[in-house]
Amino acid sequence: MSTHSNATNSSLFRNTLAVAISGLFAVSGNAAGLVLEEVMVTAQKRVESLQDVPVSVSALSGEKINDAGIQRIEDLSAYIPNFTMTESAVGNVAFIRGIGSGINQGFEQSVGMFVDGIYAGRSQQFRAPFLDVALVEVLKGPQGTLFGKNTIAGAVNITTAKPTDEFEASISALYEPEHGEQELSLVVSGPLSDTVSGRLAVRKATFDGYLKNTISGKDEANRDEEIIRATLRWTPADDLEVLAKFETGSFDVEGRTIQVSSADGVFAGKNLGDEITAMFGDKEDGIINDTKASRGFDPEVTNTEYDNVTITVNYDMGEHTLTSITGYSSYDFFENGDVDFTALALLDNSFDQQFDQFSQELRITSPQGETFEYIAGLYYQQTELDNLTQTPTLLAEVGIGAPGFNRNRTFAQETDTWAAFFQSTWSISDTLRLTTGLRYSSESKEAQQALYNADFRTNTVNPALDGVSGAILGSVVHDYDEDRSEDNLTPAVNLQYDFTPDIMVYASATKGFKGGGYNEAESSGIVERFEYDEEEATAFELGSKMSLLDGAAELNTAIFYTEYKDRQVSAFEGVSFVVGNAAQSTTKGIEMDGRWQATEQLILRASMAYLDSTFDDFQGASCTADQTLAAIAATGSAACTQDLSGEVTEFAPEWSGNISAEYVVPVSAEMDLTFQVDGNYSDSYFFAQDLDENESQDAYTKWNARIQLSSTDDRWAVAIVGKNLTDEDVVSHGNDIPLFRGAHFAFLERSRSIALQGTLRF
């Protein structure tokens, strides 16, 4: 395990967090008549107060996102317990309550993301930076009725800011000298005519990096982001609103924040550490720090270009509202990485991917406040994915006389999805409400995959290389053409009771599912390993929403229990990923979050989560590198499995939480000084499915702070923003290094940063 915060600090943070939340009960009275600002969410496809929604939801406003300097969805992990979004060697992965998708270019996420009502299920669709966001909601647990398939762990619902009826404009900038971070954003909004208003948001951001590559001498990862979003709002009549949004952007990266965390691996009798030392001295020490030593055949780059179009029509038919959401999303993605992760030019891997998605949703919503309310709708989605994966390999670097080769995998998939859904709420009495929901989904997929070998660098097809590719990478030439279809019914029931006007409790039972599909990384030539089936979940939750101290404080809780059947698993076995439906698991725990407007100047926030996420049955799990080496020594074969039944799942810290305080000091009649500090805690967790101790993170606490001077009319603000002030070394992901069994790599999160931020509004 990595060496980070000690047990004393972790215990202190947990105790502080518990005191902060329980303190909401202990304090009585609200002599000042303070009231918290109401948080409005759209978790049930209606605009409602967070305190009225009988669902476990964590929400962050656009203001909080800006104040915290959150630019990527990965940064949300620090502020929402039981939610993890992290980068891996072949794409981003998201986990809620210990449940998420494995690593595979063919996978859609178990945590569905929705932007202005449009589903974004591919990991590359998560890479777009935040820009001009009004609200982010993280819904926990299966969301099968209103959000649909592939939300078996939960959903991230992002709402962007809309055009305004009055003119407004803002320009904001951020500069951080240590890592060369610069960001400039411009927003202009207002009326264009009596019936049309528009909003334009633009961002340009660059980042030099925080890991020094001792081979190239450059800092990594170097990022360059550009994004433009234009939104038009047309209201030709009082009962009709049309919103049209176009967004285009690019996300370019040079280098990666990956380093060797252990160089003890052995390949063909050669020790990885010895080979690196012999050729490059001590440039890679196998210690997690702020340096790396990586060299590939080609530069490590990631280039993503995307376009999104959304047209939303709301038409009031009497007291009902008919809503149409039409969406088009596409991206071109290329990534090349050094996947031996060392100073040896031995093994690269690249993805060249194109994706297109069209979706159409129609729904009708009844008026609120009636005895019987409902939402009904139809949904259609069509996607096309094309991916070429190339793996150039040159063994001469380690003194092996085999010829160099380039393994090629092509993958193409088309998916059609239809769904119908209905959710109703019956107010049995003034204090008791029953909500039921049902969604029927039908999906069909067609996929083709082929594997062939070619000459090194020229990439000319050469069957004579099939033998060496098979011996080194376990590759078998093949050509698959498969199709599958599935139907699923996901019901939900929720009973909600108001003990008092300020205390609501709810109990829910829901089902969710994640569609089956095809393994883009299949290379064994065994066709049965190409396809995997859907996974299902049955979830139960008991929760409460409480308003305390006459509206000055809130405390929300959720106790949850979810069983997962036929979990889709993806494990790395030395040279390739194996995908299947091997696991049954259970996740259970409790979550609490609260806010308290202690004085007119001071607001306190706290959240905490306890999680117990374990495999109930996982007898054929992949072995760790050490277990595989032991099997080779004993039997001469790398074939090995382990029984992980009863063990924890990955990305499942037992405890996690966040505390924050914001204090405003009036400097004069025209200016305020704001102090904000927050601490984010996570217990230890594994980040690889084989639960190798080398792929785990110790408990840690990160502290962030912000000091802002601003005008009382909110026209301007200047702030100093500090992140990870105690400079914690946190590993977000890692795994085995290919070929060298026993060696490991790791992704290191960003070290301490202190930035200057400014905003000017017109």
Side-chain angles (χ1 to χ4, degrees), residues 28 70 250 368 373 384 441 715:
S28 61
I70 297 174
S250 63
Q368 290 181 270
E373 303 173 3
E384 295 183 4
S441 300
R715 289 288 184 180

Side-chain angles (χ1 to χ4, degrees), residues 300-374:
E300 289 191 296
V301 296
T302 300
N303 305 118
T304 305
E305 295 182 355
Y306 68 93
D307 296 299
N308 295 319
V309 179
T310 305
I311 300 175
T312 303
V313 180
N314 292 301
Y315 177 57
D316 294 332
M317 301 186 305
E319 295 184 331
H320 287 69
T321 300
L322 180 65
T323 300
S324 167
I325 304 177
T326 306
Y328 172 75
S329 174
S330 71
Y331 67 76
D332 291 319
F333 164 69
F334 175 80
E335 181 175 67
N336 183 76
D338 170 19
V339 292
D340 59 70
F341 309 109
T342 71
L344 304 172
L346 173 66
L347 193 69
D348 275 14
N349 199 69
S350 68
F351 301 100
D352 192 349
Q353 189 173 117
Q354 294 81 42
F355 176 78
D356 290 278
Q357 171 183 300
F358 170 81
S359 64
Q360 175 64 57
E361 180 173 334
L362 290 172
R363 67 173 184 261
I364 188 167
T365 306
S366 69
Q368 290 181 270
E370 302 295 324
T371 302
F372 187 79
E373 303 173 3
Y374 65 87

Side-chain angles (χ1 to χ4, degrees), residues 471-531:
I472 302 302
L473 300 180
S475 305
V476 176
V477 173
H478 60 261
D479 192 345
Y480 301 145
D481 190 344
E482 303 289 329
D483 63 82
R484 59 175 283 118
S485 60
E486 59 194 27
D487 301 311
N488 200 281
L489 207 59
T490 50
V493 60
N494 186 301
L495 191 62
Q496 181 181 1
Y497 180 70
D498 298 330
F499 273 108
T500 72
D502 296 325
I503 300 177
M504 178 267 285
V505 297
Y506 66 90
S508 66
T510 59
K511 291 187 73 70
F513 88 105
K514 181 173 183 287
Y518 297 97
N519 176 13
E520 177 276 332
E522 155 52 22
S523 58
S524 70
I526 303 173
V527 67
E528 289 78 13
R529 292 188 178 182
F530 183 46
E531 184 177 353

Side-chain angles (χ1 to χ4, degrees), residues 644-677:
L644 292 181
S645 302
E647 300 294 335
V648 300
T649 64
E650 70 267 45
F651 293 107
E654 186 176 23
W655 291 95
S656 59
N658 169 268
I659 55 176
S660 71
E662 182 179 317
Y663 186 67
V664 181
V665 180
V667 176
S668 67
E670 291 81 27
M671 290 188 296
D672 290 329
L673 188 63
T674 302
F675 299 90
Q676 182 175 317
V677 61

Side-chain angles (χ1 to χ4, degrees), residues 394-425:
L394 187 62
L395 301 176
E397 187 80 323
V398 288
I400 297 176
F405 63 91
N406 189 22
R407 185 185 68 180
N408 292 262
R409 273 198 324 262
T410 62
F411 180 78
Q413 179 175 275
E414 295 185 9
T415 306
D416 286 279
T417 302
W418 295 86
F421 59 91
F422 180 83
Q423 178 171 293
S424 66
T425 299

Side-chain angles (χ1 to χ4, degrees), residues 41 97 109 124 127 141 150 181 255 393 450 460 536 560 605 617 638 655:
V41 296
R97 294 174 175 173
Q109 294 290 312
Q124 300 311 320
R127 291 201 170 187
N150 299 344
E181 182 179 17
T393 306
T460 303
E536 298 180 348
F560 58 90
R605 299 179 178 88
D617 182 14
W655 291 95

